[in-house]
Amino acid sequence: MSDATQSAFAAGLLEATPPPAGIAAWNSPSPERRYGVYRNNVAASLTGALATRFPAAERIVGPDFFRAMAAVFIRLNPPRSPLLLAYGDDFPDFAANFEPAREIAYLADVMRIEAARTRAYHAADAAPLDPQVLAEIAPDRLGGLVLVPQPSLSVLSSPHPAVTIWAMNAGERPVEPVADWRGQDALVVRPHMIVEVVPLPPAGAPFFGHLAQGRALAEAASTAMAADAAFDISANLAILLRAGAFTAIRKDQDDEDRDHA
Amino acid sequence: MKTMIATLALAGSLASALAAVATPAAAADDAKEKCYGVALKGQNDCAAGAGTTCAGTSKIDYQQNVFKLVPKGTCLSMKTPDGHGMLEQGMAPA
Amino acid sequence: MIPSALPRRTGAGFKPEHFAAIIAEPQPIGFFEVHAENYMGAGGPPHTQLGRLREDYALSVHGVGLSIGSMQPLDRAHLARLKTLCERYRPESFSEHLAWSTHDSVFLNDLLPLPYTQETLDRVADHIDEVQETLGRQMLLENPATYVLFSESTIEETAFLAEVARRTGCGLLLDVNNVFVAATNHNLDPGDYIARFPLEAVREIHLSGHSETVDELGAPLLIDSHDTPVKDPVWALYETVISRTGPVASLIEWDNDVPAWPVLRGEAAAAQRMLDAAARQRAA
């Protein structure tokens, strides 16, 4: 089999071209339906991989629409790796710009929650920071603390009630009209073996977002305060500890000075 | 100066946060789930496409049909409190 | 080179949804098999569950994404991931398919067919050499379920596999359902295929269900769908094989419409009864 033959066989699997030259069946020189089995396997297995990763999205739009949307995505963005557990990281961005889904404005953000959840499921394991470690930090050093985020941590922010809609379509609560239609932010994190979606209070997203990027605690808190005066440091710190969103204190400048003293 | 204020606020906030988490949130997780997590289907396997039909998708013609398709899932049953269907909702206030 | 050495008993393909039922009590199962690519994440429940399973059972790691039949070079990064996985779990066996699935960096996620020519034989043998050298272990190569033939093929599939095994020292994974599916699809006699198969190189057998349809001329077209119990003609073929080989590690694969654990365990038990009968027959 030359590289060209393999190319032709591969090309027809994603595009509606006639079967490639050189294939045959015992009863036919042009076995369209038999070649179609391979085409079906590729489409069905990749659609299945996306449906496994985005079940809430499938419920929101219905299986027929989901399959059709997935088919277009697969043609434009076929997997570039045999690790299907990571396939579809960019499916939410695709959905955000997918014209037939335009009116479901919240769909892409629900899918971002689902993508973050599966990333967290497979992320490296790390023990959460022991609250006692923070309790023992001298007050004047708190503001300069830089924390190491869980490998599983994502900080998500939506102008829609995406967390509530995700929960309804993930079987965590009944599907019903959203009583309080406003934007929602959330952490997605796996502190131990269970992936959690933790809703955030006002300005929680910039606070955790900055912390996750390696900004110091005081800086993250000031940014959050500037973003929304309703920012409650205490409530957010309680979430930080309870959710196990960080694993350790990164060595900061003070530590360096102390080590060299 | 700004950092000073934040530092003072931080110390107090941390103290109340630590007090809050000292009372464990009610959690009655299944012990097995706690140790081993929930079972998610693996996405790689070596079976042929699910189902018996190879006719359904052997013609790739979704591209034409897809723009006529209308979402028909739970999006149809979710309405906002003021009675607007989600499909008319558009951008919600941030 | 570490030889492939599964217990000569029946095993089951591990499905995460069965985990709780499996660890609840000791299972009459000789080994579990997992698809390598599902355990290539950094951490989380897949590894915790597999680690727990490994405490009590022999393990077969079955790759579904290496694309050994590619005309392009093997994906070195993927081979490195397989090496990491094998070093972590030290499975009794590692196997892959006589097929390709990646082309021009696109992973097509299906086991695609190869024409059997000297050129493809050389390529496949080179790739298997590279896999075995990298992993430091013998691998098993599985016969594919195929739906089309290639006009350029000059070597029979059984002869192709025999020659690959001879040149590389790899073992073979005989998928009896694939034999039945492919033979039916190509209007051949599956018994004849088994008669020509290099059974002495077989270190593992796969059993699974398939589904039935027809081509545009009305001829039977079987699909390797792994979504039903093993069918009677496949059991019959299996009995023929093990009457010649004696007991061989035999796996029930069930990947779509997966039933509750006791159903899958029942299939493995049925295969075990046949293995026991074959052992008694040979002893007599």
Side-chain angles (χ1 to χ4, degrees), chain A residues 203-235:
Chain A
F207 177 64
F208 281 98
H210 279 80
L211 283 181
Q213 285 164 24
R215 306 287 173 75
L217 197 52
E219 190 189 346
S222 301
T223 309
M225 194 83 82
D228 190 332
F231 175 69
D232 178 340
I233 310 179
S234 184

Side-chain angles (χ1 to χ4, degrees), chain A residues 9 12-13 15 17-20 23 30-44, chain B residues 48-49 52-60, chain C residues 110 112 147-148 213 215-216 221 223:
Chain A
F9 196 103
L13 296 173
E15 299 292 336
T17 54
I23 63 164
S30 177
E32 262 194 61
R33 188 130 185 209
R34 290 161 185 267
Y35 180 71
V37 174
Y38 292 105
R39 211 174 244 171
N40 179 57
N41 288 349
V42 172
Chain B
T52 57
T53 170
C54 59
T57 50
S58 60
K59 283 202 210 90
I60 300 178
Chain C
D110 192 28
L112 301 165
Y147 309 103
V148 300
T213 178
D215 70 6
E216 51 269 77
L221 178 55
I223 314 285

